[in-house]
Amino acid sequence: MSIDLSNLRQKFRERDYKLTPQRQIVLQVFIDNQDKHLSAEDVHNIVRQQSNDIGLATVYRTLELLSELDVLQKMDFGDGRSRYEINETSTPHHHHHLICLACGKVIEFEDDLMDELENVIAKNSNFTIVDHQVKFYGYCQECRKKRED
Ligand SMILES: [Zn+2]
Ligand SMILES: [Zn+2]
Ligand SMILES: [Zn+2]
């Protein structure tokens, strides 16, 4: 996945926001952790490990702004915390997620069998579908092993 920083700057400019150093630091966390789904607390911890001093409240506000600008995708995996990841604009649409109910791990999968289903639902409901999100809940390989032991 490639992140186009000039494209991001453009997004900020269009909406009259500046890509301030703090916002850039938060964004960099997501660029460095592209396979992760980070909460505000996760981002705050990573930023602190890099000895950058950004308060949790600022992290929250920055994440809200970045998702408003469609730079980040905000997700809810049902554990009471919002998680964020970089919005992939290069692909036609987002990958989907498997969520482990035991350890909370989030696994991404690319298989998309939804197109046909979308067509059926669109037809039956007379509704134009432009996107979808899919979450499957269950148990990851490690947790399944533990349960069998
Ligand atoms: Zn698990
Ligand atoms: Zn993801
Ligand atoms: Zn899909």
Side-chain angles (χ1 to χ4, degrees):
M1 195 200 319
S2 65
I3 309 297
D4 187 348
L5 262 179
S6 64
N7 188 12
L8 288 180
R9 281 179 204 286
Q10 182 64 30
K11 274 187 181 174
F12 275 83
R13 259 201 308 271
E14 274 167 15
R15 303 277 297 268
D16 271 336
Y17 287 108
K18 284 202 174 70
L19 190 51
T20 61
Q22 287 189 331
R23 287 169 184 166
Q24 213 158 340
I25 288 168
V26 170
L27 197 53
Q28 191 61 43
V29 170
F30 286 93
I31 294 172
D32 294 340
N33 296 276
Q34 282 182 33
D35 53 336
K36 302 243 176 68
H37 303 80
L38 302 170
S39 68
E41 287 80 7
D42 296 331
V43 173
H44 188 230
N45 282 337
I46 293 169
V47 164
R48 268 208 311 219
Q49 276 160 25
Q50 300 165 341
S51 50
N52 285 310
D53 192 18
I54 302 178
L56 185 57
T58 305
V59 172
Y60 270 112
R61 273 201 306 275
T62 306
L63 293 176
E64 279 304 313
L65 173 67
L66 291 172
S67 54
E68 229 172 85
L69 292 174
D70 282 331
V71 174
L72 296 180
Q73 165 121 355
K74 187 178 183 175
M75 282 164 300
D76 176 14
F77 293 133
D79 61 356
R81 302 189 300 172
S82 293
R83 316 262 201 120
Y84 301 83
E85 72 180 340
I86 290 258
N87 213 351
E88 298 166 59
T89 45
S90 51
T91 50
H93 100 159
H94 212 251
H95 56 260
H96 298 302
H97 297 103
L98 306 168
I99 298 134
C100 179
L101 292 168
C103 67
K105 182 159 51 197
V106 178
I107 301 162
E108 299 185 338
F109 70 97
E110 301 286 346
D111 303 279
D112 207 326
L113 313 170
M114 298 296 290
D115 284 355
E116 205 175 327
L117 186 60
E118 265 193 13
N119 286 338
V120 173
I121 293 170
K123 210 172 184 178
N124 291 347
S125 311
N126 195 16
F127 187 87
T128 304
I129 297 171
V130 295
D131 199 9
H132 60 251
Q133 286 188 32
V134 183
K135 287 181 263 186
F136 290 108
Y137 294 92
Y139 298 97
C140 72
Q141 202 175 2
E142 286 95 74
C143 291
R144 219 171 46 232
K145 267 194 210 124
K146 267 184 234 151
R147 287 159 70 89
E148 281 162 7
D149 287 344

